[in-house]
Amino acid sequence: MERPTIKSPTELEYMREAGLVVAAIHQALIDATKPGVTTAQLDQVVANVVADAGAKPNFLHYQGFPATVCISVNDEVVHGIPGKRAIQLGDIVSYDCGAYVVRAGKKWHGDAAVTVVVGDTHIPDAQFVQGIRPEGEVGGVSPVTLSRRRTLSSVTRGSMWAGIAAAAKAKRTNDVAAAIEDFVEAEGAAIQADQGWSPEIIEGYTGHGIGTHLHEDPTVYNYRTRGRSGKLVAGMAICIEPMVIAGDSTSAVLDDEWTVVTVEGTDAAHWEHTVAIGKHGISVLTASDAGAAGLAPFGITPIRSFI
Ligand code: MG
Ligand code: MG
């Protein structure tokens, strides 16, 4: 990975421009998620939003990745390649994508991921923090499967916000990692008692620094690590992106050399935001409200602008 870049307030605002393009992509994907739509059609949705915004996709051709967005369905964890697959009612689908803008002669990146259960109405952050969750029947999907997928996405999303909130005070990446791990573990105990399965953080996949490159140091783990914790200082931006599996946390890569799947065939979820650390607070660059709704339960008011 590239060394971490320390951004000026103006540069963090360039990154917010990229981040808001990513927020617009996610909204377009949520709106376009319907049974029968192919993942290739969804990839085109992303390409169109990026082009309309005057930005550039940063996943396309990244280390040879052949599409604009990673679309991972059910037991696919991350890095799924769009193609002919048609989305089905009740599928759990994660979208991971990014965009960059060129300002002052450099590329400034944004990167975020969202998970949806097809057929559910998307719950915005403001309602999510009030405890509102999707419910009801979806197609012919069994209530048990549906409940597991909704809970999995909810826990993953919650752990992301716990990690983001921790970044407001964190001195090192391990503080963020610990918050994510503790959230999943606490929720997991309740889910095990209630539903008989446990959410597990996938090993070997992490968040990262971001700036003039899509992936920079430091590595941001989703679980505590010994001796591998990077410093967090003002001017840094990091992607916080827990990936959580319903059950056994081992994964494998398919023959396409990209798609990561769970070995046991259990479902997976992935949520991610790009978070900027300023002198006087944090800001969620890929959230249209800078993270205000998601951070409200933690008593944190994000910075709306660094300049
Ligand atoms: Mg991402
Ligand atoms: Mg990322």
Side-chain angles (χ1 to χ4, degrees), residues 273-293:
H273 269 309
T274 298
V275 181
I277 300 168
K279 278 199 176 74
H280 306 293
I282 61 168
S283 192
V284 182
L285 301 179
T286 42
S288 54
D289 68 348

Side-chain angles (χ1 to χ4, degrees), residues 3-295:
R3 294 170 65 107
T5 45
I6 302 300
K7 273 74 75 174
S8 69
T10 300
E11 290 170 340
L12 289 176
E13 290 307 317
Y14 295 154
M15 290 186 67
R16 189 189 308 280
E17 290 185 54
L20 291 177
V21 175
V22 180
I25 295 170
H26 281 188
Q27 191 55 55
L29 281 168
I30 288 164
D31 294 344
T33 301
K34 297 189 170 62
V37 69
T38 67
T39 50
Q41 288 171 321
L42 293 167
D43 187 64
Q44 192 57 49
V45 167
V46 178
N48 291 345
V49 175
V50 174
D52 289 350
K56 299 278 185 197
N58 51 14
F59 278 43
L60 184 64
H61 306 318
Y62 182 84
Q63 294 183 357
F65 188 75
T68 316
V69 55
C70 296
I71 304 180
S72 306
V73 183
N74 298 342
D75 63 329
E76 297 170 354
V77 186
V78 284
H79 304 164
I81 301 173
K84 291 182 184 152
R85 182 173 190 158
I87 296 289
Q88 309 289 324
L89 265 180
D91 280 350
I92 182 169
V93 183
S94 70
Y95 300 115
D96 183 8
C97 61
Y100 69 83
V101 297
V102 177
R103 299 287 182 270
K106 288 180 180 165
K107 296 174 180 175
W108 301 96
H109 290 263
D111 179 13
V114 63
T115 291
V116 298
V117 175
V118 181
D120 277 349
T121 303
H122 180 71
I123 301 294
D125 291 326
Q127 292 183 0
F128 180 79
V129 300
Q130 292 164 20
I132 294 170
R133 301 288 184 271
E135 52 185 51
E137 300 274 308
V138 166
V141 184
S142 82
V144 170
T145 300
L146 205 51
S147 168
R148 187 183 62 236
R149 289 176 175 170
R150 285 169 170 161
T151 302
L152 180 65
S153 180
S154 172
V155 170
T156 311
R157 182 182 188 165
S159 73
M160 173 190 70
W161 282 111
I164 294 171
K169 289 186 193 141
K171 300 262 189 291
R172 309 197 73 97
T173 56
N174 215 29
D175 301 332
V176 174
I180 294 169
E181 182 180 350
D182 288 347
F183 185 94
V184 174
E185 198 154 294
E187 293 286 309
I191 293 164
Q192 181 70 53
D194 188 42
Q195 299 186 16
W197 62 275
S198 183
E200 303 286 341
I201 298 166
I202 188 171
E203 292 164 23
Y205 294 87
T206 69
H208 51 92
I210 183 168
T212 53
H213 295 87
L214 176 58
H215 293 128
E216 298 181 353
D217 281 329
T219 298
V220 183
Y221 287 88
N222 295 315
Y223 42 87
R224 287 178 179 81
T225 53
R226 298 181 81 185
R228 286 184 288 176
S229 182
K231 258 190 191 168
L232 293 176
V233 297
M236 288 176 68
I238 54 173
C239 290
I240 296 176
E241 50 175 316
M243 288 149 264
V244 182
I245 293 173
D248 184 272
S249 64
T250 50
S251 64
V253 179
L254 293 184
D255 287 343
D256 66 15
E257 297 182 359
W258 280 104
T259 312
V260 179
V261 296
T262 62
V263 170
E264 300 291 330
T266 53
D267 296 320
H270 181 200
W271 282 83
E272 176 183 22
H273 269 309
T274 298
V275 181
I277 300 168
K279 278 199 176 74
H280 306 293
I282 61 168
S283 192
V284 182
L285 301 179
T286 42
S288 54
D289 68 348
L295 289 168

